[in-house]
Amino acid sequence: MRASSAIRLAAASAVAATAVLAGATAASAHVTVQPSSVPKNATDQTFAFRVPDEDDKNSTVKVEIDFPVDHPVPSALVAPVPGWTDTITTTKLATPIHTDDGDITDVVQRIVWTGGQIAPGHYQDFTVDLGALPDGTDKVVFKALQTYGDGSIVRWIEEPQDGQPEPKNPAPVLRLTAATAAEAATPAAAPAAPAAPTAPTAPAAPVTPVAAKAATSDSTARAIGIAGVVLGALGVAAGLLLGRRRPGPSA
C-alpha cells in the first residue's frame, strides 16, 4: 500500500515538473538572434533571427527586423526562406562611415519577411549575412515586430538592461565581446636559412671489363697461392709424423 502511494506521488511530481517546464518554455520564447554573442573581430558574420509562434491559434505571417541607426550595419545579404519573400530597406547616413574601401553612406534600416507562415508551436530561422559589425560598441540591439494572422502585432523592442529582470518583450541583442587572440593577425614566420652547400663527391671510376677481369685473375691467383701454402704445410707435417713412427735399424 505504501509502495502504491509512493508511485502515485512520484507520478504526480513528474507531471507537475513537466507543467512548470512547459510554462517556463512558453514564457521565455521570444525573438532572438543566433548566435547571441561573437568576438568583435569575428570573421563569420552569419546570424539567424529565430522567431517562435507563441499564439495558440494564429500563425505568424510577417516578421520585421529593424536595425540600429546609432551603430549602423553597412550591408546585409539575406538567405532565401521557402515560402517567404524578403525586402531590405536602406537609409542614408548624415555622417558617412570611413573604411579602407571608401566611404559608406547607405546602411541597412530594416528587413521584412512576408508571404509565409509560422504555425503555432513552431519557429522559423531567418538567416542574414552581415557585411561587417559596427565599431565603438559592445552590443547591437535590433527591434523585431511579429505580425499574426489575426492582425495582432507583438513588438519585441524593449532593450534588456544588465542586472535587471528581463522585460516582457525583449529585443534581440547581439553582444560583441573582446577580440580573440586566435583571430588577431600574426606576423609570418621567417623563412628557414638555406643549408650550407657541401663539397661535391668525386664520382667513382667506372669499372671496365678489362679491370674486372684483372681483379678476378688476381683473386684467383691469391686463392691458389694460399691453397699451395696450406698443402705444403700439411705435407711437412705428414713427413714429420711418418719419420717419428719409422723403426730404427736392428743390431
Side-chain angles (χ1 to χ4, degrees), residues 202-221:
V207 180
T208 62
V210 175
K213 183 176 181 181
T216 303
S217 300
D218 182 64
S219 299
T220 303

Side-chain angles (χ1 to χ4, degrees), residues 88-238:
I88 300 178
T89 302
T90 60
T91 185
K92 189 174 292 293
L93 294 175
T95 303
I97 300 175
H98 302 289
T99 68
D100 295 338
D101 298 328
D103 291 346
I104 297 176
T105 57
D106 295 331
V107 296
V108 180
Q109 183 178 22
R110 73 174 55 91
I111 303 177
V112 179
W113 288 269
T114 57
Q117 290 189 2
I118 306 174
H122 294 74
Y123 73 87
Q124 178 65 56
D125 283 343
F126 298 91
T127 304
V128 178
D129 186 351
L130 303 182
L133 298 176
D135 296 327
T137 182
D138 58 0
K139 61 182 176 181
V140 182
V141 181
F142 302 92
K143 294 183 178 181
L145 275 64
Q146 181 177 9
T147 303
Y148 287 95
D150 63 351
S152 61
I153 300 176
V154 178
R155 303 176 184 275
W156 305 98
I157 60 175
E158 300 177 56
E159 182 178 348
Q161 301 296 327
D162 295 336
Q164 299 294 326
E166 185 177 73
K168 181 180 179 181
N169 295 318
V173 177
L174 173 62
R175 298 193 177 275
L176 306 180
T177 61
T180 58
E183 297 289 344
T186 56
T198 57
T201 303
V207 180
T208 62
V210 175
K213 183 176 181 181
T216 303
S217 300
D218 182 64
S219 299
T220 303
R222 289 183 181 181
I224 294 174
I226 294 172
V229 172
V230 174
L231 291 175
L234 291 175
V236 172

